[in-house]
């Protein structure tokens, strides 16, 4: 008897509409960066910050879509998912992933905003910080509710906590040293970009594993 054909994950089927969604989300930040890059040049500090922010949005979106595809495939679509994850909630998972995505969309609209708000933080920085806190809240809620899926959220929550701690330490150093808010803003973006890229690399490496 011939072996059954390998199952095609739904994430593969969804790849092309995900491209479309990502393009729509990045349309505004790309137009902002292109306009300011043409008008001011890369020598302008605000333009360099905008380029970093756009890269952060792109990497965050890539991590979100790949993580969501792997998560839903493992938790809901694998043949043994019902026995492996007996306690779970699709509505909760769907809505939390939606809020996660909307936070990234909100960040994309703040790429060109350079005013510093409460605590000397830019709008973009606040939105990304809230996104990281949301990762922790989702993992905590799943654990408190006794969901079997809590283990799947642990890695992202741990990474988000590490990023928050690193950025918190950086913020404290900048404040005590009397450095300008722009210094922390750039440091924050570099930490988030590097850490999220590492998460993305880990997801790519683990793809296809049970």
């Amino acid at each position: 008897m011939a072996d059954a054909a390998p199952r095609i994950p739904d994430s593969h089927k969804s790849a092309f509409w995900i491209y479309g969604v990502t393009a729509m989300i990045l349309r505004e930040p790309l137009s902002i960066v292109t306009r300011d890059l043409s008008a001011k040049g890369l020598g302008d500090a605000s333009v360099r910050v905008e380029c970093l922010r756009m890269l952060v949005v792109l990497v965050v979106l890539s991590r979100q879509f790949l993580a969501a595809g792997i998560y839903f495939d493992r938790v809901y679509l694998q043949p043994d998912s019902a026995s492996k994850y007996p306690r779970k909630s699709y509505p909760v998972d769907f809505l939390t992933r939606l809020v996660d995505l909307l936070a990234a969309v909100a960040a994309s609209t703040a790429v060109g905003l350079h005013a510093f708000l409460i605590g000397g933080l830019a709008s973009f920085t606040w939105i990304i910080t809230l996104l990281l806190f949301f990762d922790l809240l989702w993992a905590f809620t799943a654990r408190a509710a006794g969901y079997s899926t809590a283990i799947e959220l642990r890695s992202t929550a741990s990474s988000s906590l590490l990023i928050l701690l690193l950025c918190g330490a950086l913020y404290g150093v900048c404040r005590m040293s009397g450095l300008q808010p722009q210094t922390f803003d750039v440091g924050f973006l570099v930490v988030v970009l590097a850490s999220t890229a590492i998460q993305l690399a880990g997801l790519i490496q683990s793809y296809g594993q049970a």
Side-chain angles (χ1 to χ4, degrees), residues 15-142:
F16 292 102
W17 72 259
I18 289 175
Y19 289 159
V21 172
T22 304
M24 286 190 293
I25 294 172
L26 288 177
R27 179 179 178 179
E28 183 175 352
L30 277 171
S31 65
I32 292 171
V33 171
T34 302
R35 180 197 65 206
D36 290 347
L37 193 58
S38 300
K40 304 175 184 178
L42 195 58
D44 189 278
S46 64
V47 175
R48 293 196 296 271
V49 168
E50 289 172 1
C51 291
L52 277 174
R53 288 175 177 174
M54 187 183 68
L55 285 175
V56 167
V57 172
L58 176 60
V59 174
V60 167
L61 283 173
S62 300
R63 192 265 295 173
Q64 286 179 337
F65 281 128
L66 185 57
I70 293 174
Y71 178 85
F72 281 102
D73 185 64
R74 289 179 178 174
V75 173
Y76 293 99
L77 301 176
Q78 290 283 356
D80 61 344
S81 60
S83 58
K84 193 173 181 180
Y85 305 98
R87 183 169 172 76
K88 56 194 173 186
S89 173
Y90 183 84
V92 170
D93 287 334
F94 179 85
L95 291 174
T96 48
R97 288 292 183 183
L98 178 61
V99 173
D100 202 37
L101 174 62
L102 290 176
V105 173
S108 74
T109 67
V111 164
L113 301 179
H114 297 284
F116 294 98
L117 308 176
I118 302 172
L121 301 179
S123 301
F124 186 91
T125 304
W126 272 116
I127 294 170
I128 295 296
T129 300
L130 291 174
L131 190 154
L132 294 170
F133 271 115
F134 183 73
D135 289 338
L136 297 178
L137 179 62
W138 184 15
F140 176 80
T141 301

